[in-house]
Structures are given as structure tokens and as C-alpha cells.
Amino acid sequence: MDTYLFDGGRITKMEVDYEPACNEKIPLAKELAKKNPDAFHEAIEMMLQLEKQTRLGADMVSCSRVLVAICQICFDAANWNALNEYVTLLVRRRSQLKQAVVKMIQECYTYVDKTPTKEVKLKLIDTLRSVTEGKIYVEIERARLTKILADIKEADGDVAGAASVMEELQVETYGSMDKREKVELILEQMRLCLLKEDYVSTQIIAKKISIKFFDDHSQHDLKLKFYNLMIQLNRDTSFLNTSRHYQAIAEPPRKKAPVVAASESSAGSDDKKKDKDKEAEPTEPAAPEPEIELTDAQKKELTEKLVCAVLYCVLAPYDNEQSDMMAHLSKNKKLEDVPAYKEILRLFMSKELINFDTFNADFGMVLAENEMFKDSTKHGKKCISELKDRLIEHNIRIIAMYYSRLHLARMSELLNLPASRCEEYLSKLANNDTIRVKIDRPAGIIYFTTKKSPSDILNNWATDVNQLMSLVNKTCHLINKEECVYSVMCAVED
């Protein structure tokens, strides 16, 4: 029976079976090189002749065995220079079989951790990365070698070099690589880019990972690593995104619900009709996936992450998305375990003024215990400053809600701020289109106006016109009434 080989999409027929020759010559060459080190090149030459025969005869299995045997002979002789030389030579030979190259590269990959010195290890990695460049069928081995090289560079303190080496890999295009390993490599790229403070590249790389991948509870460790990296990326630039990341971490892992097996295709027409009737009926919502039981330490950690999500949400500038997120967080039952932070969230959601001194007296000690508000760190100082700004902005929004106009002195008294600082915050909120305000500086009066849509303006104008015409009609009626009364009185007198 003829044997065919699928090589790169082409069908290649194996002309000769060299298995008997391989069974005879491979052990002979290994024994020759092992007993007499001086006969090393003679053994390699014997294998090269056999490699040529198997390659031209398209015997992939035998060719793979020969290539692996050449590598093993070089490894047993500890001749690393010869190993690098012959790997480069064999890969570049004409009509070399791809499957044979894969077997050889996989064999050489196992030698990387067995190298005697760091220089030999780097040279072998460089050789293997050179011969695998641009070859899809050895992309997994090249990615793993690149990861080892990046680790070596990072250990030497060359973080930028390690990041640039890892960024060469387009892991998301590797179809033969397992999803988990692919995500691990992308996370490593993100970590190295963060270490060299390349935030733009980190943001681009992060978009290569689909969030749906983390729905599987078995990938929970990668989920934590991903969101921790995203927190490092966004915590100084976007408090809202940081809060969203903390919420994702605070969600406990869930088990996958059991999948109900579909009905067999051989069912009768009556069964199919019943199935259609069932589909037509309104189905009940699927039950939520059961949570995995957590230890006390894990529950405490999730509560801490939820607290961070609340604080970063409060620190985010006010907009519709931030308001919706606060409402969503307030419904979380786990906030009952931390009543102080639940009260902070309630205060920022309420339509009441927040006195800074009272707020500091009630929650100052609680917030000081959190890592976010440490005076010793740059991020802690920023969070403290942002919290003061959010308190003032919240009070200004509440004032704008209840007042149409207000003296600047009175507003300074309510906010406990100088007049100049009040104007700064009013200008900031007006520029952000949070409130609409006008300031009469000579009179010292602040006018709060609401932005009206064109339809509202037209409706008001139409209402005003209707009122005007009603007044005109009423006036005309009264005039006619007076004229009638006057004419009657004149006739009576006559």
C-alpha cells in the first residue's frame, strides 16, 4: 500500500521506506561516537548520508529519526558548537520535510535547560530562534524560546530588551497554540511593557485578550493577573476603569452550569412538534451559576477588592456612567460587611450637602487605614486630593439643583472655601458640561441655568404664544362687554 505525506498542503508520496536502514545505522552511529570521541565526525557523516536518502525519498518518519539522532549525538558529545552548526545546516537543506524539522526543534528545545553555561544557552536559543523565524509550523517552540530569552534578559536587568523581544511575538495569530498558553504569553508582554512604563503598548496588547475567556473558573488565576495588570495601567489615569477592574476581581469564581444534552435526531414528528410548542412558550430565566466555596481569607480579600471598587468609583469624575456604577455598587449585598464604605457611597449618591469636617471626623480614620490614602506615596497624595475635589464638586451640584441664583459669599460659606476657589470649581464644572452657570462678578451673584433642548425651547415658545392669544381674546371680550354695558346705560338715561 502506498504511503503519502501531507507536507505544507502538498501531497508527497513516500518513494522508499528507510526504516530498516535507520534501525541499523542510528544505533551504530551513536555507539561509534560514544566509544570513540575522535570518530564523532565520522558518525555525523554517516547520519548526514542517511538523512539525504530519507529526505529525497520523502520518508518523513525516518528523516525525523535521523535529524533527532544527529542532535542526540552532538548533545551526548557535549559539542554545542556542532549542534548549532548542524541544526542551521539541516533546516536550510533543499526539500527538507517540515515535520522532520519540527521533531528536531522539539528535541533541541529540551537541551536548553541542560546547557552547562549561560553563554552556551544563549547561543543555542539564538540559533533555534533564527532557524524558526517565519516558520508557522514551529511557532510554538519559537514563542517558548523567546519567553526563556526574555526571562534571562530581565534577570540581567535589561527590562527594555526583554520587552522588545517579547513584543516581536504576534501570539494572537498562533492557531496551533493552546488558549491558556497564548493568554499567559500576552500577559507576560503586558507585564514587561508596564515595567518599562510603555503604557500605550500595554493598552494595545491588552485588547488582544477577550474578556469572555475568563468566564471559565479554571482560568481564575489568569483573570486575577490580567485585572491586576490593568489596575496598574489605569489607576493613575482612569479611576472609573480602575473601579471596573476591581469589581471584576471582587466577583467570586463560579462553576459552570451542567449542559443539558440535546434530543436525539431520530425522534419522531410528534416529539419535534412538542419541542416546537415548548419553544413557543415563555422560558424561565436560567438559574445563576453556583459560586465556589471560598475560605475566610479569600472572602476577606474579595471584600477588600470591593472596597477599592467603591473608593475608585467615588474618586472618578461625575458623569452618567459613574452615577450608574455607584447605583450598581450600592445594590451589592457584600457591602453590608463594611458599613463605613457603604455609608460613604450613600452620601455621594444622596442629594444633600456633605460637610468636609464632619466627613473627615466620621471616615478619616477608616480611610487612613487604606493603602489608597497613604500620605507617603504619590498615588496616595493624589487620591486624597481627588477626594477633596469630589466632595466640593458634589456640593456644587447639589447647590445647583436647589438654587437658581445665589450670592457668591453665601456659596463660599456653604462650601467653606474662598470666593476665588469657588469660581475655579464652578469654571471647571461648567467646562465639563456638568452644570450650566453664569457669574455676575460686579454684583457677586451666581446664576444656575439648565441647558434646554431645541424641542423644549419650541414648546416653551408655543406655550407663551398660546398664553398671549388667550390674554388678547380675554381683553377683547372685556372691551366688548364694557361697550355693551355703556350703550345700555345711555339708552336708559335717554
Side-chain angles (χ1 to χ4, degrees), residues 51-102:
E51 182 273 336
K52 182 178 181 180
Q53 295 174 354
T54 57
R55 172 167 47 86
L56 297 179
D59 187 355
M60 186 271 293
V61 176
S62 299
C63 187
S64 302
R65 291 179 61 190
V66 173
L67 294 185
V68 171
I70 293 173
C71 295
Q72 289 174 346
I73 292 172
C74 294
F75 174 72
D76 293 337
N79 194 338
W80 298 100
N81 291 329
L83 177 63
N84 293 326
E85 178 183 349
Y86 285 116
V87 166
T88 306
L89 174 68
L90 293 170
V91 170
R92 294 178 179 176
R93 285 200 162 183
R94 180 174 62 88
S95 301
Q96 187 60 273
L97 303 176
K98 294 180 180 179
Q99 289 83 351
V101 172
V102 172

Side-chain angles (χ1 to χ4, degrees), residues 4 76 81 107 135 181 195 201 242 302 319 323 334 357 383 402 410 451 473 480 490:
Y4 293 89
D76 293 337
N81 291 329
E107 178 69 20
K135 295 179 174 59
E181 186 177 3
L195 285 179
S201 298
T242 306
L302 291 181
D319 57 12
S323 179
K334 294 179 182 178
D357 295 331
C383 289
Y402 289 106
R410 174 58 177 161
K451 185 178 180 180
N473 290 333
N480 291 332
C490 290

Side-chain angles (χ1 to χ4, degrees), residues 137-186:
Y137 48 91
V138 285
E139 60 187 4
I140 297 179
E141 288 73 18
R142 177 177 171 79
R144 292 170 180 169
L145 290 166
T146 304
K147 172 66 168 57
I148 296 173
L149 180 60
D151 291 341
I152 294 173
K153 287 181 176 291
E154 185 182 2
D156 293 340
D158 185 11
V159 176
S164 61
V165 166
M166 285 296 294
E167 285 183 73
E168 293 176 2
L169 299 176
Q170 303 298 326
V171 186
E172 67 279 3
T173 64
Y174 293 177
S176 56
M177 182 177 285
D178 181 63
K179 280 187 177 182
R180 180 179 176 84
E181 186 177 3
K182 193 183 298 186
V183 172
E184 286 176 347
L185 289 174
I186 295 176

Side-chain angles (χ1 to χ4, degrees), residues 365-376:
M365 294 298 294
V366 177
L367 295 177
E369 296 174 356
N370 197 297
E371 289 291 333
M372 288 175 54
F373 297 96
K374 294 292 183 183
D375 292 335
S376 56

